[in-house]
Amino acid sequence: MSTAILTGQPVPGSSIEGDLRSLGFDVRIASDAAETETLLARIPGDQRVAVVDGRFVGHVHALRLGLTDPRFPLAAVPGAVTAQPAGRQALTRAVARENSAGGGTALAVESLADRIVTALDADGTAVHRPELGSLVAVVPADPQARNEARQAVSAVDDEAVRLKSAVKARDGFFTTYFVSPYSRYLARWCARRGLTPNQVTTASLFTALIAAACAATGTRGGFVAAGVLLIASFVLDCTDGQLARYSLQYSTLGAWLDATFDRAKEYAYYAGLALGAARGGDDVWALALGAMVLQTCRHVVDFSFNEANHDATANTSPTAALSDRLDSVGWTVWIRRMIVLPIGERWAMIAVLTAATTPRVTFYALLVGCAFAATYTTAGRVLRSLTRKAQRTDRAARALADLADNGPLASLVARVTPVRLGAPLLLALGGTAVLAVSLFSGVTWAPVLGAAVYTVTAGQALCRPLKGALDWLVPPLFRAAEYGTVLILAAQADVNGALPAAFGLVAAVAYHHYDTVYRIRGDAGAPPAWLVRVIGGQEGRTLFVTVLAAALTASQFKAALTVLAVAVALVVLLESIRFWVSAGAPAVHDEGEPA
C-alpha cells in the first residue's frame, strides 16, 4: 500500500483526496511540518510515500506521472514529491531539515513539498521530474490563481494527453502510421481490464510462435496465415510498451521479456519458414541461418557503437552535425529511419513476402535489405568515429571488452604473451581473415589451425583497453567470426540436419550475447565470469566447433552440434532467468525502435 501525506486541509471543492486514492494511495493529513515528519516516521520503510500540498491543482495524469512511476526512487511535480523505499532515507532527511528550519510551526505559504525537493537538490540527490507538456500541476497562492489553474485543467483533455504519451516519441514509419494510431486504444482497453504489459508481451510471443508454426506447414494457406499473425504479433508487441507507458506499469521482468522476446519471435519465425520450405522440397536453412547471423551482427554494431560513445568526452564530429541538420528536414527523417529496416518495416516486409511469395524469396529480400541497412549504418558510424575527437572512458572500454565475450583461452594468451602485436582492431581483422581463408581452404584440419591463430589474435586484441576510434568494431567482428564459422562448417558437412543444428547453436549463443548487452545497459555489468568459462568464450567455441568438424564424420558432427546447442542453451537460459527475476536486476527500457 502507498501512503500520501497531504500538507494542510484540501480547499473546498478540491478533488485531490479522491485523485490520490484513485492512484492507490492511502491519504493522511498533516497540519504542519512537524506532523508531516511524525506521520512519515510511522509509515513502514518498505512502502512508497508521497508528500502532497493540500492546495494542489492539476491533472490526475500529472500526479500519476509524478507519483507512481516505479523506475525512480525519488520523483516530483510542482506541489508533490514521492519516494520509493530506496529513496526514503533521503526524503526523511529533507523533511527533518525543513521541519527544523521552520521550527515545526504551521505550514508556510510556500509549498512544503517544493521546499523538500529543493532540499533534496541541495543534497545532490537525483529527483526525477517527468515532462508534463500541457498537463497542469501547480500550487496556487490565492483564489484567483486557483480559478485560473482550474480553468487550465478543464481546457486540456487529460485522457488525450495520456494516450498520446503512451506512444514512443521516436518510432519507425510503419509503426507510427500503421500501428500506433489504433494500438494505443488497444493498450487502453487492456489497462481498463486489468491486463499487464507482461501478459500482452507473452501473448505477442505466442502469436509469433503460432505464426511460425503456420509457416512450417509449407502450404499457401499456412504462409498467408503466418503473415497475418506476424503482423498481429507486432501490433501486440507495440501494445505492451504502450500499455506500460499508459499505466506506468514498468518492471524489471517486463523489460527483460520485451527485450528478449522480440529476438526469439523473429528467429523462431525464420526457423518456421525454413521448415515450411523444406516440406516443399526447398532447403533454405543456410539462408535462415545467414539472416539470423546478419541481423545479430547488426545489433552488435549498434550496441558496441552506442556503448563506446554514450559517455565519451568531446563527442562531436562534422558527420554527426550533418546528420542533425538532415534530421531537421521532415521528409529525410522518415527516409533515414526506413532505410535501416527497423523492426516494424522489417516484419511488415517479411509478412507480406511470406503471404505472397516463397520462403526463399523472403530470405533473399531480407538478406539484401539487412545487408544494405548494415552497410549504411556501419559506414556512417565509421565516418563519425574517424572525424570526432572523442576520449573514451574506462567504462566504455570495459563494456566493449565484455561484449567481445573472450573466454579462458584468449585470457590465457593475454597473460602469457609478453609482446603486444598491434592495435586491437587490426589484430581482430587479421585473425578473422586467417580463419575465413582456412574455412574455405578445402583442407580438413586447416580450420583448426585458422581457429588457433584466431584465438591468439582474440587474446592479443584485448590486451589493451578498447579505446581506439574504431575499436567498437571488435565485438561485431568476433560475432561474425564465430557465427560464420558455425554456418560454413555446417553447410560444408552437407548432411541433412546439420544446418538446423547450427541454427540452434547460433540462436543459443546469440541469446547469451543479447543477455550481456541488456545487463550492461542496465549498469549491472557482464554475466558472471564462471558462465563465460563454462560455455568457453567466443574463441573457445569457435576452436571447439572446428575440431569437431575435422575429427567427426558429417553425421557425428550434426549430433555434436545438437548436443552443444542444447547444453549452451540450458546454461545461459538458467543463469539469465535467475538474474532477471532477482530483486537486484536492473530495469532496461528501450524508448527507441530497435533495428
Side-chain angles (χ1 to χ4, degrees), residues 281-508:
D282 189 11
D283 187 353
V284 296
W285 274 105
L287 296 177
L289 180 50
M292 181 166 66
V293 169
L294 179 56
Q295 189 59 30
T296 303
C297 289
R298 279 187 66 197
H299 286 144
V300 178
V301 168
D302 295 342
F303 298 141
S304 295
F305 179 80
N306 291 334
E307 287 300 326
N309 292 287
H310 86 280
D311 60 351
T313 58
N315 200 17
T316 59
S317 75
T319 307
L322 174 61
S323 177
D324 292 339
R325 286 196 297 272
L326 288 174
D327 279 345
S328 66
V329 182
W331 64 271
T332 66
V333 174
W334 294 117
I335 294 295
R336 284 153 54 82
R337 289 187 191 177
M338 290 172 67
I339 62 177
V340 299
L341 207 62
I343 188 171
E345 277 75 356
R346 189 170 68 252
W347 282 26
M349 181 188 74
I350 294 171
V352 171
L353 291 177
T354 299
T357 64
T358 66
R360 181 171 290 273
V361 171
T362 301
F363 281 124
Y364 280 150
L366 182 61
L367 286 166
V368 171
C370 287
F372 176 81
T375 302
Y376 169 79
T377 55
T378 304
R381 287 165 178 171
V382 167
L383 286 175
R384 290 190 185 196
S385 300
L386 292 175
T387 56
R388 67 171 33 133
K389 306 298 181 182
Q391 297 295 319
R392 297 200 165 77
T393 63
D394 291 336
R395 179 201 176 280
R398 181 67 261 167
L400 291 178
D402 291 335
L403 289 173
D405 194 34
N406 274 0
L409 293 179
S411 299
L412 177 63
V413 169
R415 288 196 304 270
V416 302
T417 307
V419 179
R420 301 297 177 251
L421 300 178
L425 179 59
L426 293 178
L427 286 166
L429 281 169
T432 302
V434 170
L435 177 60
V437 170
S438 71
L439 289 170
F440 292 103
S441 66
V443 180
T444 302
W445 285 92
V448 177
L449 296 176
V453 173
Y454 172 78
T455 298
V456 173
T457 59
Q460 278 281 312
L462 266 66
C463 282
R464 63 187 69 182
L466 298 179
K467 292 186 176 183
L470 297 177
D471 283 353
W472 55 270
L473 286 169
V474 171
L477 271 174
F478 286 168
R479 294 296 78 73
E482 179 183 0
Y483 301 162
T485 297
V486 177
L487 168 59
I488 293 167
L489 292 177
Q492 290 176 348
D494 196 23
V495 61
N496 188 34
L499 280 168
F503 189 97
L505 175 58
V506 171

Side-chain angles (χ1 to χ4, degrees), residues 30-40 95 99 103-105 107 112:
S31 59
D32 54 29
E35 189 174 1
T36 300
E37 184 177 7
T38 300
L39 289 175
L40 182 62
V95 171
N99 181 32
T105 57
L107 296 167
L112 175 61

Side-chain angles (χ1 to χ4, degrees), residues 45-76:
D46 59 350
Q47 293 184 12
R48 175 190 285 274
V49 65
V51 178
V52 183
D53 195 294
R55 299 165 294 177
F56 177 90
V57 174
H59 289 98
V60 177
H61 192 52
L63 285 172
R64 181 181 290 106
L65 290 171
L67 302 183
T68 67
D69 196 323
R71 295 173 295 176
F72 308 102
L74 291 160

Side-chain angles (χ1 to χ4, degrees), residues 136-180:
V136 177
V138 295
V139 179
D142 54 61
Q144 181 179 349
R146 176 172 298 281
N147 288 333
E148 292 174 352
R150 286 176 172 172
Q151 290 173 7
V153 170
S154 300
V156 176
D157 187 341
D158 178 283
E159 181 61 19
V161 173
R162 188 180 179 189
L163 273 173
K164 183 178 179 180
S165 64
V167 178
K168 288 180 182 178
R170 178 185 175 88
D171 245 334
F173 180 85
F174 179 78
T175 305
T176 299
Y177 291 105
F178 292 91
V179 177
S180 292

Side-chain angles (χ1 to χ4, degrees), residues 222-282:
F223 288 147
V224 171
V228 173
L229 288 170
L230 186 64
I231 293 296
S233 175
F234 181 68
V235 171
L236 291 172
D237 183 57
C238 296
T239 301
D240 65 0
Q242 291 166 359
L243 174 58
R245 286 182 287 276
Y246 180 85
S247 56
L248 299 186
Q249 295 183 76
Y250 298 106
S251 70
T252 296
L253 178 61
W256 171 61
L257 292 177
D258 189 51
T260 56
F261 279 11
D262 279 350
R263 307 285 77 82
K265 288 181 288 189
E266 184 166 1
Y267 299 155
Y269 192 83
Y270 292 177
L273 278 177
L275 287 169
R279 286 179 177 271
D282 189 11

